[in-house]
Amino acid sequence: MTNTYGVGTDQGAGQDGTGNRNRDGGTVLRTHATAVLATGSALLSVPLALALHTAACGTLPPVLAPLLPLAPFVWPLMAAVAAGAAYAAVRRARTRRRPAAPPPTAAALAPVPTDPAGLPAPADHFTGRAIETDAVLRLVRIGHRAIAVTGAPGTGKSALAVRLAHELRPLYPDGRLYADLGGGRGEPSAPAAVLAVLLAALGAPAEERSGTSDTLAARFRGRTAGRRILLLLDDAADAAQARALLPAGEHCLTLITSRDPLRELPEATPVPLTPLTEPDALALLAAVAGPARPAAEAGRVEAVPRPAAEAGRVEAVPGPAAEADHARAVVHACGLLPLAVRVAAGATRSRPNGRIPALAGRLAAERDRLHQLRLGDLAVRGAFEAAYAALRADDRALLRGLGACPAARVTVRIAAAAAAQDPAGIRSGLDRLADAQLARPAGPDAYRLHDLVRLLAAERFDHEASPADRRAVLERILIAYTEDASGHGSRAWGLAEQHAVPHLVRAAVREGLHHRAHGLALAADAWLDGRPGQSPRIAMWTAVLDAARRSGEQGWTAHAMRGLGSAYAHEGQLDRAVDHLGMAAALQRHAAARTERTATRRLLGAVLRGAGRHEEALRELRAALEGCREANDTVGEAEVLCGLGVLHLDRGRPDEAIDCLEQALPVLARHTGDTAGLADARRHLGTAYAQAGGFVPAERQLHSALALYRRGGLTAGEGWTLRELGRLEEQRGAYGAGVVLHRAALAAFERAGLGAGIAAAAEAVGDNLQVQGDQLGADEEYRRAAAAHRLLGDHAGEAEVRRKLGF
């Protein structure tokens, strides 16, 4: 039975609490029949007695003789008296058989609910949550009387609790009660008001449904004692509100949902909810959205009717792999939150030509994402805005400040900079955000905001902060990031910070903070250099190039060109890298900083070598070496010598390579803490000795390099070194040992995600297996190498491997 508080019970409209109107109707008919029979018997007995007396005596009884003139009026009067007596007798008999019903309660007067147990209907297309469901059922089996399902807005707490309540219904035959407590809407119901309705649902008379909260709680506990009742308290504001509503029966079960962790309610065992796993989110998207197109169309190219002018053209329908990629993009844009996935899928289903790829495109822009995640009156933004509105004023200001930082993970130091507070004092505010499920700890000195929470915070920051405040907050964050990147701060950098830097640099340029943008880019470049995926670095230096053009700083232009050239080189776009590095070198030709000019020429020489332009590379590297010697830069000289050594290896001159690398090694070992640089030098020296036929020194240098790579966690370098050791075994004729080493190299490249290494190692394994006569195994490895070359766009490499396959 439901009402304004959403309370339900098993009692229906019938007096016996079952709602069985047929049985009650039969009882009424039997009662009326009994009354008619009794009345008729009483009326017939009077004339029968008078007739017998008159027949025997010839006259009326003496007591009635005076009433003879009133005979026309006496008979109806006597009949009425007899009927009244008979009806009174029947009522007394019914009263003895059945107690009087209590006055109708508010619950009895409410309309009969669709669900006779008073619970909301389970959500359609419920997906996932197997672990949490098993946890709740296990707690019920072992006798826990209160279980709290907690989590952030949109994680599906109510959907899970309602589903569990329906599943557990048979265990609680004495009633199922439901109450929406309104905590998430910022309008929590008073415990006294909820208790009054719960008591009414349990059949309490009106006089028991008024009083203080403590009095009503005691009465509620009294009515639930000794009964098996399931109570679902949905959306509790806090522990105090929930505690007042707990039943007393030891066989009762209370399911509570709340955004609050309810740490102050030890009676309730917590079952926290996090976002869905990717497979569960994808399953929910597919279930709610329905098929994006008929299954028969998936993955094929079909002719699409077109105007006559375009006849003969065909339109490719995206295949299953593309659809899967778009679906993954959608669920991750939704932050894997069930509410957001449902809204996005529903919006797609409501569009006549809705498709998952189109949905992925609409959700790609972060600034417009919350606007897209709405369906009618249901909006993801609303769930987070209610939580935001419930915060204290200073915590709202803190969350807005975090919206200026584009990273989902923020350190305590960055948060303190955003709020202009001391780091020691900012932790309590971050902890309160965590209690409100708007942040969560991500290590000893960091917190993580859900992506959609971060977008809401960014919106609030833009709308509620003045332009001066926005600029001041951004500048403080830029300073903190620059200090961290320079080694003066916490240095707790990871993927979140690397993702945030280009966004911060672009924001700084928009706000006119050009010097801050340039300073952060210089400090962060060492973190981004060589990382898998150089697009953040390219975006960062592109923004600095914009700042340089706006401010007229020619030196910044050279820095941006050099950074872009390095990033393009790591991406394998060697022609673009040579162009940008050449422009940087030209801009630095008359620069006062000789070291910068030398570093650019050294990098340009390395890229030219990689592009196969050996003579140009040799010219640039010799110029860089001369510059280092003029500046007495011994470390720079050693690094250039390493570059020259690698170039001589490519030119097939191992003796010259050994000479350069042997000169560089002692300097690198003494004066740098660059483990990767020292390991690279030893690996190249080992390769040079191997080319020169010196297997013993080659093996010694390669094993030293392997130890350095493994100590530094440099997986790609480990793979290249294992590949060189495998080549040594090939030169010795030990092809079995070569296969083992090349397979180890292949595993290292796969861990590093390095496509070029995968292609090279797979091809090497194939070569060794072919020499040993295992043609089937060799072909399998050649096919793997060809696929890797194809992904890299290396058509020449793919053609060479296909030649070995016989194509």
Side-chain angles (χ1 to χ4, degrees):
M1 190 64 60
T2 58
N3 50 46
T4 55
Y5 288 97
V7 179
T9 180
D10 282 340
Q11 305 227 351
Q15 291 181 350
D16 62 351
T18 65
N20 191 334
R21 297 180 181 273
N22 291 333
R23 188 174 66 186
D24 289 351
T27 301
V28 172
L29 288 174
R30 286 194 297 273
T31 301
H32 291 172
T34 302
V36 170
L37 290 173
T39 303
S41 176
L43 291 173
L44 289 174
S45 64
V46 174
L48 181 60
L50 291 175
L52 289 173
H53 187 279
T54 305
C57 304
T59 183
L60 288 173
V63 69
L64 297 178
L67 300 177
L68 188 58
L70 301 177
F73 305 102
V74 170
W75 293 109
L77 178 62
M78 291 177 66
V81 172
Y87 187 75
V90 171
R91 290 295 296 168
R92 284 194 299 272
R94 286 190 64 197
T95 303
R96 284 193 299 271
R97 288 196 306 269
R98 181 175 178 182
T105 63
L109 294 176
V112 178
T114 304
D115 174 60
L119 298 171
D124 293 334
H125 309 301
F126 186 88
T127 305
R129 300 302 187 199
I131 294 175
E132 294 86 350
T133 298
D134 290 343
V136 172
L137 296 179
R138 179 180 57 82
L139 291 172
V140 172
R141 283 196 301 271
I142 62 179
H144 284 254
R145 292 168 50 193
I147 300 170
V149 180
T150 63
T155 49
K157 303 178 293 295
S158 298
L160 175 62
V162 169
R163 184 177 181 85
L164 286 166
H166 279 276
E167 187 170 341
L168 293 168
R169 281 173 56 181
L171 300 179
Y172 300 94
D174 294 332
R176 276 79 64 185
L177 304 175
Y178 169 81
D180 182 354
L181 303 184
R185 298 190 299 272
E187 301 173 353
S189 302
V194 179
L195 284 166
V197 183
L198 290 174
L199 286 167
L202 292 174
E207 58 270 17
E208 288 188 22
R209 304 199 300 268
S210 62
T212 65
S213 178
D214 292 341
T215 301
L216 294 173
R219 292 172 183 164
F220 179 64
R221 289 193 296 270
R223 285 199 169 254
T224 55
R227 304 178 69 179
R228 301 184 71 89
I229 291 176
L230 187 151
L231 172 61
L232 174 51
L233 300 176
D234 194 15
D235 203 12
D238 52 33
Q241 184 193 34
R243 182 181 291 108
L245 306 175
L246 295 179
E250 63 180 14
H251 299 298
C252 292
L253 173 66
T254 305
L255 295 177
I256 309 168
T257 70
S258 180
R259 297 177 185 178
D260 190 275
L262 300 181
R263 295 191 188 93
E264 298 177 3
L265 189 67
E267 300 93 329
T269 305
V271 177
L273 294 191
T274 57
L276 293 171
T277 63
E278 183 184 279
D280 286 343
L282 290 171
L284 179 61
L285 178 70
V288 178
R293 61 182 185 278
E297 296 180 6
R300 78 172 196 230
V301 177
E302 65 171 13
V304 179
R306 310 185 68 86
E310 300 181 16
R313 292 174 54 185
V314 295
E315 180 176 300
V317 177
E323 288 287 336
D325 289 341
H326 288 305
R328 278 192 289 271
V330 167
V331 298
H332 283 285
C334 294
L336 302 177
L337 284 183
L339 173 62
V341 173
R342 283 181 177 276
V343 170
T348 297
R349 192 168 188 170
S350 67
R351 294 173 184 260
N353 298 316
R355 290 290 186 272
I356 294 298
L359 175 62
R362 291 196 301 272
L363 296 178
E366 285 192 347
R367 288 289 180 179
D368 196 41
R369 189 172 299 166
L370 286 175
H371 176 72
Q372 292 291 338
L373 290 174
R374 62 179 304 125
L375 181 63
D377 295 334
L378 185 61
V380 174
R381 178 190 279 109
F384 291 114
E385 282 182 338
Y388 173 80
L391 295 173
R392 296 171 15 171
D394 53 343
D395 292 340
R396 289 199 298 271
L398 171 59
L399 186 60
R400 286 196 303 271
L402 296 179
C405 179
R409 176 183 175 273
V410 291
T411 63
V412 172
R413 175 179 158 81
I414 297 299
Q421 294 184 24
D422 183 78
I426 202 66
R427 287 183 182 272
S428 58
L430 291 168
D431 287 338
R432 287 192 295 273
L433 291 182
D435 286 344
Q437 302 288 355
L438 296 175
R440 59 184 176 87
D445 292 308
Y447 290 76
R448 185 175 295 278
L449 301 181
H450 189 277
D451 282 345
L452 298 181
V453 174
R454 179 176 57 81
L455 295 181
L456 175 70
E459 282 187 1
R460 291 295 185 176
F461 180 69
D462 288 342
H463 295 160
E464 298 181 23
S466 66
D469 287 341
R470 288 200 298 270
R471 183 184 173 94
V473 171
L474 178 61
E475 186 166 18
R476 291 196 300 267
I477 291 174
L478 288 164
I479 292 171
Y481 262 84
T482 304
E483 290 176 350
D484 283 351
S486 302
H488 304 301
S490 66
R491 292 183 66 87
W493 270 44
L495 291 177
E497 287 75 17
Q498 294 169 29
H499 168 78
V501 164
H503 295 281
L504 284 171
V505 171
R506 284 199 295 266
V509 174
R510 285 195 304 268
E511 291 289 339
L513 298 169
H514 299 142
H515 284 275
R516 298 296 184 196
H518 177 244
L520 176 56
L522 286 177
D525 193 60
W527 290 90
L528 301 176
D529 185 12
R531 295 292 192 277
Q534 290 286 288
S535 38
R537 193 179 179 204
I538 292 171
M540 178 185 74
W541 283 116
T542 301
V544 172
L545 194 59
D546 184 22
R549 288 167 179 162
R550 295 188 186 194
S551 62
E553 291 283 352
Q554 191 174 17
W556 296 2
T557 302
H559 292 158
M561 290 295 182
R562 183 176 180 275
L564 286 169
S566 175
Y568 286 130
H570 283 294
E571 289 282 284
Q573 301 181 50
L574 299 183
D575 290 339
R576 297 187 72 177
V578 168
D579 290 343
H580 283 81
L581 290 170
M583 286 187 282
L587 289 169
Q588 292 174 337
R589 186 170 300 147
H590 305 292
R594 186 195 302 266
T595 55
E596 288 185 11
R597 185 166 66 248
T598 301
T600 301
R601 301 197 77 165
R602 183 175 77 242
L603 181 57
L604 177 57
V607 175
L608 287 167
R609 177 193 65 79
R613 297 158 65 172
H614 292 164
E615 294 304 320
E616 295 174 77
L618 185 62
R619 183 174 64 250
E620 292 295 334
L621 288 173
R622 283 175 174 169
L625 183 64
E626 182 181 351
C628 289
R629 286 172 174 168
E630 288 177 359
N632 198 26
D633 180 6
T634 56
V635 174
E637 180 182 352
E639 291 174 348
V640 175
L641 284 169
C642 285
L644 281 167
V646 177
L647 176 60
H648 290 316
L649 277 176
D650 290 348
R651 298 171 70 207
R653 300 183 180 184
D655 293 334
E656 294 182 37
I658 290 171
D659 181 51
C660 290
L661 292 165
E662 287 285 14
Q663 291 182 60
L665 265 181
V667 178
L668 294 175
R670 285 197 310 269
H671 297 292
T672 71
D674 183 8
T675 302
L678 181 59
D680 287 344
R682 289 194 178 280
R683 174 168 62 86
H684 294 313
L685 183 57
T687 303
Y689 275 120
Q691 288 186 10
F695 291 164
V696 173
E699 195 168 22
R700 183 175 65 251
Q701 293 295 339
L702 289 172
H703 279 294
S704 296
L706 186 62
L708 287 170
Y709 283 130
R710 285 175 171 169
R711 189 185 310 158
L714 304 167
T715 313
E718 178 185 348
W720 291 119
T721 307
L722 287 167
R723 180 169 175 269
E724 290 300 320
L725 287 168
R727 283 181 169 180
L728 277 182
E729 296 300 330
E730 292 173 23
Q731 293 178 29
R732 291 171 173 157
Y735 296 105
V739 167
V740 172
L741 287 165
H742 286 310
R743 287 195 187 280
L746 181 60
F749 289 133
E750 287 176 339
R751 291 197 303 275
L754 189 61
I758 292 171
E763 185 176 357
V765 173
D767 290 341
N768 280 260
L769 290 175
Q770 189 176 55
V771 171
Q772 296 179 78
D774 184 0
Q775 191 60 51
L776 289 177
D779 288 348
E780 181 180 353
E781 296 301 329
Y782 287 149
R783 282 191 288 270
R784 183 187 303 189
H789 282 302
R790 191 181 314 117
L791 287 174
L792 292 169
D794 182 2
H795 303 300
E798 181 183 1
E800 174 62 22
V801 176
R802 285 187 171 277
R803 184 187 61 78
K804 295 180 180 181
L805 279 166
F807 294 127

